[in-house]
Structures are given as C-alpha cells and as structure tokens.
C-alpha cells in the first residue's frame, strides 16, 4: 500500500509541476492570450518564431498591430500560406484582426511572431518577454516559454529532432 501511495504522490507532484511550467493565460480587455511559446535556437541563429493563441471573448473585433521584443532587433507578425502550390511567408504589415467570438492560433506553418536580429540564443526552459500591441486592448506583455529545438507545440520537448542526423557540418 505504501508503494501505491508514493506512486500516486509522485504522479500528483509531476502533474502539478507540468501545469506550473506552462504559460499562464493573460487577459487583456476582451482578449485571452494563452499557450505562448517558442523554440530553442541553435548557436548563432539570428531568427526565431513565437507562437500563441488569442481568443476574443468580446462583441467587437480587435487587431494585433505590432510586436516588440528587447532580445530582437526587429519583431513582426507574419503568416505562412500556400500560394499556387508554394509555401510563402509574408509580413502582415496591416496587422491581424481577431474577430469577436473567434480564436486565432499562431503555430508553425501559419501565423507567427517573427523575431529577427536576435541578440542572444533562446535556451530550452527560458522565458522570452515580448510585447503585443493591440488596437483596442493596448500593450500586452507576454512571456514565450522556450521549448526544445524541434518542438511543434507548447509542452513539446522536441526530442524527435534529436533522432535526425546532424547536418551542421555540411557545406551548402
């Protein structure tokens, strides 16, 4: 019985630690921002992506007009989309509307924060502060939880990438 009790206690502590490790939801006006994360960057990388979810619980639209981050010389809102069978990335220089009652998910291969001219690496376990500027909700401070290099979602350690061969020494 003692073993079962210890096992249950260990599982409980592990689940509590996992919940605490995830980014907290941030409420700004009618917006709820959640699951803010990024990937660790390899040495010397000058760009990184930021991902999050924005839910508009209000009755009027709001717009994400810009992003800034002290760790980046330049930060922008981007979209990746298919165009005539080719995946293209484009700057959303007019912002991104978050319609009332809708949720917009920033994820690899879609909408994302593009952090360029990085002043330092992102290391797994770090929290990277960024500021989102909304038309109605104003400035909102968010921390991106840094996951593993190959992560595809928040809480993903990115271990799948470690199984792939290392091509860092290849010449292009």
């Amino acid at each position: 019985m003692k073993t079962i009790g210890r096992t249950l206690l260990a599982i409980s502590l592990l689940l509590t630690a996992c919940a605490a490790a995830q980014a907290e939801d941030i409420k700004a006006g009618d917006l709820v921002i959640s699951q803010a994360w990024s990937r660790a960057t390899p040495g010397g990388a000058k760009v990184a992506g930021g991902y999050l979810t924005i839910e508009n619980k209000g009755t009027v639209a709001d717009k994400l007009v810009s992003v800034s981050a002290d760790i980046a010389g330049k930060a922008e809102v981007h979209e990746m989309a298919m165009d005539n069978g080719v995946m293209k990335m484009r700057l959303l220089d007019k912002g991104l509307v978050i319609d009332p009652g809708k949720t917009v998910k920033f994820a690899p291969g879609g909408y994302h924060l593009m952090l360029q001219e990085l002043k330092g690496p992102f290391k797994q376990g770090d929290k990277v502060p960024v500021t989102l500027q909304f038309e109605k909700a104003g400035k909102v401070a968010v921390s991106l939880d840094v996951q593993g290099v190959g992560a595809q979602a928040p809480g993903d350690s990115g271990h799948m990438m470690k199984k792939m061969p290392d091509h860092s020494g290849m010449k292009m």
Side-chain angles (χ1 to χ4, degrees):
M1 262 335 228
K2 282 185 177 181
T3 304
I4 292 172
R6 286 185 194 147
T7 302
L8 290 174
L9 178 61
I11 291 170
S12 174
L13 291 172
L14 181 62
L15 291 173
T16 302
C18 288
Q22 292 182 353
E24 292 185 27
D25 292 357
I26 298 169
K27 186 151 176 38
D30 290 328
L31 303 178
V32 176
I33 301 160
S34 60
Q35 299 178 348
W37 67 283
S38 186
R39 294 180 177 130
T41 55
K46 293 295 177 193
V47 297
Y51 313 103
L52 45 89
T53 300
I54 305 170
E55 180 181 6
N56 185 343
K57 293 188 173 201
T59 57
V60 296
D62 202 341
K63 184 190 288 189
L64 175 60
V65 293
S66 66
V67 61
S68 61
D70 288 342
I71 195 162
K74 191 172 169 182
E76 301 171 333
V77 180
H78 282 204
E79 174 186 34
M80 291 191 72
M82 293 299 286
D83 182 15
N84 292 325
V86 176
M87 181 65 86
K88 292 187 177 182
M89 181 170 58
R90 71 181 181 103
L91 166 66
L92 297 178
D93 56 352
K94 294 182 179 163
L96 176 63
V97 174
I98 316 297
D99 288 319
K102 300 290 182 183
T103 299
V104 176
K105 185 172 178 108
F106 286 57
Y111 294 120
H112 60 278
L113 307 177
M114 189 73 181
L115 307 174
Q116 303 170 67
E117 302 168 16
L118 295 180
K119 298 173 184 172
F122 289 12
K123 295 179 183 162
Q124 187 170 352
D126 284 354
K127 292 189 178 294
V128 176
V130 298
T131 302
L132 307 176
Q133 177 70 52
F134 291 93
E135 199 169 68
K136 292 183 176 54
K139 287 186 179 184
V140 181
V142 175
S143 287
L144 304 175
D145 289 339
V146 180
Q147 309 298 310
V149 172
Q152 292 297 309
D156 182 0
S157 64
H159 290 298
M160 292 294 287
M161 288 295 285
K162 292 182 180 170
K163 293 180 184 174
M164 296 179 70
D166 178 12
H167 299 295
S168 59
M170 290 182 67
K171 292 188 178 177
M172 303 290 244

